[in-house]
Amino acid sequence: MSYASLKPVSKAFVQRKRLIFIRVAAALAVLLLFLTKPALSEGSNGHETLEFLGFCLVLACVAGRLWSILYVGGKKNEELVSTGPFSMSQNPLYFFSTVGAVGIGLLYGSLVAAAALGLASFLIFRVTARKEAEYLLGKFGPAYSTYIKATPRFWPNPLLYRDNDELQFSTRALKRTFYDGLYFLAIFPIIELVEYFRESGLLPTFFTLY
C-alpha cells in the first residue's frame, strides 16, 4: 500500500466485517485440523521442535497483544497513539495476531499450515489496516501523515521505540484482550486432543501436510 494513495474518510471501519473474515478463516483452519495430519509423526524430534516454537509464538502473541492494548485500549480512533509498541509499528496488534496464527500452524506440526495461517492473517489485517488508516488520516490529518511516514506499517522496528514517563490504560480493554488471548492458548490442548483421536483411529485423515 502506498501512503500517497490513501483517501481520507470520515467514517470509521466497521470492525464486525473484520471479525466475520477472521471467523471464516478460523472455521477453515479447524476443518484443516480435522481432515489432515502433519507429515512429522507425533513424538518425533521434528514435531516436538515445531510444537515448542509454536507455543513460544503463541505466548509472544498473547503478551504482545496485552502490551499493545495497554496503550490503545479505550483510545482507538479517538487519540493518535504513537508511543510504546505503536512507535515501532502502526499495527502492533495485527502483527502479534499474525505471529499467533503462525504459532498455531507450528503447534499443529506443519510448516505449510503455519505459512497458510500466517498469510491468511496478514492479508485480512492488511485490508483492515488500510481502512483504518484512511479514517485516521481523515480524523488527524497532517499529524497522522507524519506518523505513518516515520513508522513501519506492519513489521516493528525496535530502533524507533519511544515511550512516555506515565501511562493510563483501560482495565476493561485489557481484560477483554486477555480473554481473547485465552482462545490462542486453548488451541494447544485442542490440537493435542485431536492428535490423540487421530492416533486412536477415531478421526479419518485425507491429506498430509508438511
Side-chain angles (χ1 to χ4, degrees):
M1 175 183 68
S2 171
Y3 292 129
S5 66
L6 285 178
K7 298 179 180 179
V9 298
S10 58
K11 187 177 181 180
F13 177 69
V14 180
Q15 292 294 331
R16 184 169 56 85
K17 295 180 180 180
R18 173 177 64 86
L19 293 175
I20 290 174
F21 283 119
I22 292 176
R23 288 168 182 169
V24 170
L28 292 176
V30 171
L31 183 63
L32 175 76
L33 177 67
F34 278 94
L35 298 182
T36 67
K37 72 173 183 177
L40 296 173
S41 60
E42 174 69 17
S44 66
N45 290 336
H47 190 281
E48 294 301 312
T49 298
L50 290 184
E51 275 195 346
F52 175 75
L53 292 175
F55 189 67
C56 290
L57 290 183
V58 169
L59 287 180
C61 163
V62 175
R65 284 179 54 81
L66 288 172
W67 180 39
S68 299
I69 212 66
L70 284 174
Y71 288 80
V72 78
K75 305 174 185 176
K76 191 170 185 179
N77 295 335
E78 299 300 327
E79 295 182 21
L80 179 55
V81 180
S82 59
T83 56
F86 291 88
S87 65
M88 301 185 296
S89 168
Q90 296 172 41
N91 299 285
L93 280 164
Y94 296 161
F95 169 76
F96 285 116
S97 294
T98 301
V99 168
V102 173
I104 290 171
L106 294 179
L107 278 175
Y108 177 68
S110 167
L111 293 174
V112 171
L117 291 175
L119 179 61
S121 176
F122 174 79
L123 292 176
I124 290 172
F125 291 134
R126 178 185 176 90
V127 174
T128 304
R130 180 185 179 89
K131 296 293 184 181
E132 291 179 345
E134 290 176 339
Y135 172 73
L136 294 173
L137 181 61
K139 185 176 182 66
F140 298 108
Y144 187 70
S145 295
T146 300
Y147 169 68
I148 62 177
K149 288 177 182 177
T151 311
R153 179 180 46 175
F154 187 77
W155 302 103
N157 181 356
L159 297 178
L160 299 176
Y161 183 79
R162 65 182 184 278
D163 210 340
N164 295 324
D165 294 332
E166 297 182 356
L167 176 65
Q168 292 183 336
F169 62 91
S170 167
T171 55
R172 181 179 180 182
L174 185 64
K175 184 185 297 185
R176 184 172 61 249
T177 303
F178 173 75
Y179 289 140
D180 288 344
L182 294 180
Y183 288 106
F184 283 94
L185 294 176
I187 292 295
F188 182 68
I190 291 174
I191 289 177
E192 290 296 313
L193 185 62
V194 170
E195 288 177 347
Y196 171 77
F197 286 148
R198 186 183 296 114
E199 293 295 323
S200 302
L202 299 176
L203 283 178
T205 299
F206 296 96
F207 306 100
T208 297
L209 292 180
Y210 289 89

